[in-house]
Amino acid sequence: MQHADDDMPTHRRWADLHAGLVSRVADLCALRGYASCRAVCASWRAALPPPTSRPLAPVADGGGDTASRHGPLSLAVCSVHAQRWSRLLGLRQPSGLANATGACRCVGARDGWVVLAAANSKGAAAAASVVLLFNPVTGVEIPLHASLYDPNCERASPSTSPAPKVVFSPCPTARDLAAVSICRPNRLAVQRTTDGYSSAIVLDTAALMDGDDLADVAFDGNGRVAYCLTRHGAVHVLRLNRRRRRGRLRPIEIEPLVAGAGTDAAAFPAPYDTIARFTDAKNLVLCGGALYQVWRRPSGAGSAVACDQQLLRIPEGAVFVLRYEPPASPAGGSRRPPCWSETKDLGGHALFLGANDAAAAARGGDGAAELMRGDCLYYWASRAEGDYEAFVYSMADRMSTRLPPATGGVSSPLWYFLPAGAANVEEATTTTAMEAA
């Protein structure tokens, strides 16, 4: 005898849902709701990376009602499972840009903070800027000096100028911070604030760096020193001297990383001394106590053929990673000079390059490896449409793979990570959900 129940369709358990579908459901939730989704079961938790391990990027709103709904700051996360970018809901919006007349854009990010900048007067010959350090989780705002962002420089040559970038010291407060930006190809803007006393200066680096244009800037872990990278690969150390003496901040000091050399050309072994001249996209990274340079032949630049001591072809999109080897004196041997040498790995880290202060993340479990893969570089390339697309480069395979495109486009080439404190939101929500179960 056949029972009616035998003809009923078999329903799958919630835990058996495909990871892509779980990701789509969770991406419709704000931060607390996302954390609750991770508490449903082990398979959902494995499919959803922790909130603080998900790299985000600023996306364009497209104007109209969408822009008014999301506000000037809209961040999205890339889900490889779902093959899409989804806006992170529940973030706070800044109020310090209310008087700005130009479009707002992200020009820096670090440790849960973003730097927002906008022109303060449209069409002016020397438009003033509004620059703001903002935490979209807590809503804290810290005004920065206008000299850190020069919209005229960006408009002068948008196709050749790198995206604007402002880097800043860890754990910034209104009374204690340092910020540095490349406001012109050969000018550094520096703001130093100590015990509430603030000072800003623009440094002309042309003479100091043999006329070589600046390519990147990065802070060390304690915020006392910044490193400046030039187009040809020379690195200079910027000592900020944030201590006050007789009521004034001490002068800023700039010196080459390789002492006694205006450039680092002599520190590059062949063929990298030649490759340095044909890789226009350069980044400086501090990771695991080591200093790295990342060179790329940008998309759209075509392949380059150099003939120095040997014929050398540098294909479009080629990536080179070099590690700084400081001078050393081996036992019983002569002193080894400092040099840059190509490295085959990144110590298991994933590096995120862009207008943010380069972020290094160690590959972890618990769903964190959905996007973050060890010994990989995540970087941005400009598109003809005027926005940016993301790529991941594997050190092992020496291949770059394009990540899923963002609907509406990524407006600024930077990566943003939620601050460590956001994990407390997840822990509290997870505990409540498990107790209720």
Side-chain angles (χ1 to χ4, degrees):
M1 181 176 178
Q2 186 176 11
H3 296 281
D5 291 344
D6 294 339
D7 297 327
M8 296 291 289
T10 302
H11 294 283
R12 298 175 63 184
R13 299 183 306 156
W14 287 104
D16 296 331
L17 287 180
H18 186 271
L21 182 57
V22 173
S23 180
R24 285 180 176 268
V25 171
D27 286 341
L28 296 175
C29 303
L31 187 57
R32 287 182 178 274
Y34 181 92
S36 296
C37 288
R38 297 193 75 235
V40 169
C41 59
S43 62
W44 281 38
R45 190 173 184 86
L48 302 175
T52 54
S53 74
R54 299 193 303 169
L56 295 99
V59 291
D61 277 316
D65 295 337
T66 306
S68 61
R69 181 170 70 249
H70 292 291
L73 177 63
S74 184
L75 296 170
V77 62
C78 181
S79 170
V80 175
H81 288 324
Q83 287 293 296
R84 65 197 289 264
W85 290 74
S86 301
R87 282 186 174 86
L88 183 63
L89 305 177
L91 294 178
R92 297 176 183 268
Q93 292 297 324
S95 60
L97 298 172
N99 296 327
T101 56
C104 169
R105 67 177 303 176
C106 293
V107 294
R110 177 182 187 146
D111 303 333
W113 293 81
V114 294
V115 180
L116 304 176
N120 203 24
S121 54
K122 289 184 177 179
S129 303
V130 178
V131 187
L132 188 69
L133 193 56
F134 178 63
N135 189 319
V137 176
T138 63
V140 175
E141 301 180 13
I142 303 175
L144 297 179
H145 198 270
S147 62
L148 291 167
Y149 174 67
D150 187 347
N152 288 324
C153 179
E154 189 178 357
R155 287 195 292 264
S157 53
S159 60
T160 58
S161 297
K165 177 175 182 176
V166 179
V167 297
F168 51 93
S169 53
C171 305
T173 67
R175 294 183 55 81
D176 188 10
L177 66 87
V180 180
S181 74
I182 302 174
C183 59
R184 293 286 176 116
N186 56 1
R187 283 178 172 81
L188 283 172
V190 181
Q191 177 180 345
R192 297 178 294 170
T193 302
T194 301
D195 296 330
Y197 176 82
S198 186
S199 172
I201 187 174
V202 176
L203 303 172
D204 189 338
T205 62
L208 295 171
M209 301 181 185
D210 293 340
D212 198 0
D213 287 347
L214 294 161
D216 198 17
V217 61
F219 261 108
D220 68 345
N222 55 33
R224 300 189 186 97
V225 172
Y227 294 90
C228 306
L229 176 65
T230 71
R231 291 290 184 188
H232 290 160
V235 177
H236 293 256
V237 182
L238 187 69
R239 302 189 186 281
L240 298 174
N241 294 331
R242 293 167 59 189
R243 293 182 179 179
R244 297 174 64 184
R245 182 178 182 182
R246 297 179 180 177
R248 302 184 64 180
L249 292 171
R250 298 170 57 191
I252 296 172
E253 301 172 9
I254 303 179
E255 60 186 16
L257 179 66
V258 179
T263 69
D264 284 350
F268 295 129
Y272 300 104
D273 53 346
T274 301
I275 293 174
R277 303 198 305 267
F278 296 93
T279 46
D280 295 333
K282 288 184 171 68
N283 289 99
L284 200 58
V285 184
L286 286 96
C287 173
L291 185 63
Y292 296 89
Q293 287 194 45
V294 180
W295 299 351
R296 289 188 296 111
R297 179 76 179 169
S299 301
S303 298
V305 177
C307 185
D308 194 355
Q309 296 180 353
Q310 59 179 341
L311 191 65
L312 184 65
R313 181 178 180 273
I314 307 170
E316 177 181 327
V319 179
F320 305 92
V321 183
L322 294 92
R323 175 175 172 148
Y324 179 64
E325 304 292 344
S329 300
S334 59
R335 180 178 174 84
R336 186 197 69 198
C339 66
W340 294 89
S341 59
E342 187 173 17
T343 182
K344 304 299 182 183
D345 66 79
L346 299 168
H349 289 87
L351 299 184
F352 292 81
L353 311 176
N356 53 287
D357 205 336
R363 179 178 175 178
D366 194 21
E370 184 222 2
L371 181 61
M372 283 194 289
R373 292 154 47 195
D375 293 321
C376 284
L377 300 168
Y378 294 80
Y379 65 91
W380 298 98
S382 58
R383 302 200 310 163
E385 291 81 356
D387 59 353
Y388 302 88
E389 57 184 347
F391 289 81
V392 55
Y393 174 80
S394 169
M395 297 286 289
D397 302 334
R398 302 180 67 88
M399 296 287 292
S400 291
T401 305
R402 181 183 283 104
L403 294 182
T407 303
V410 171
S411 56
S412 295
L414 63 76
W415 300 99
Y416 171 85
F417 286 87
L418 289 166
N424 297 332
V425 175
E426 178 195 13
E427 292 171 2
T429 309
T430 301
T431 302
T432 302
M434 289 184 172
E435 289 176 351

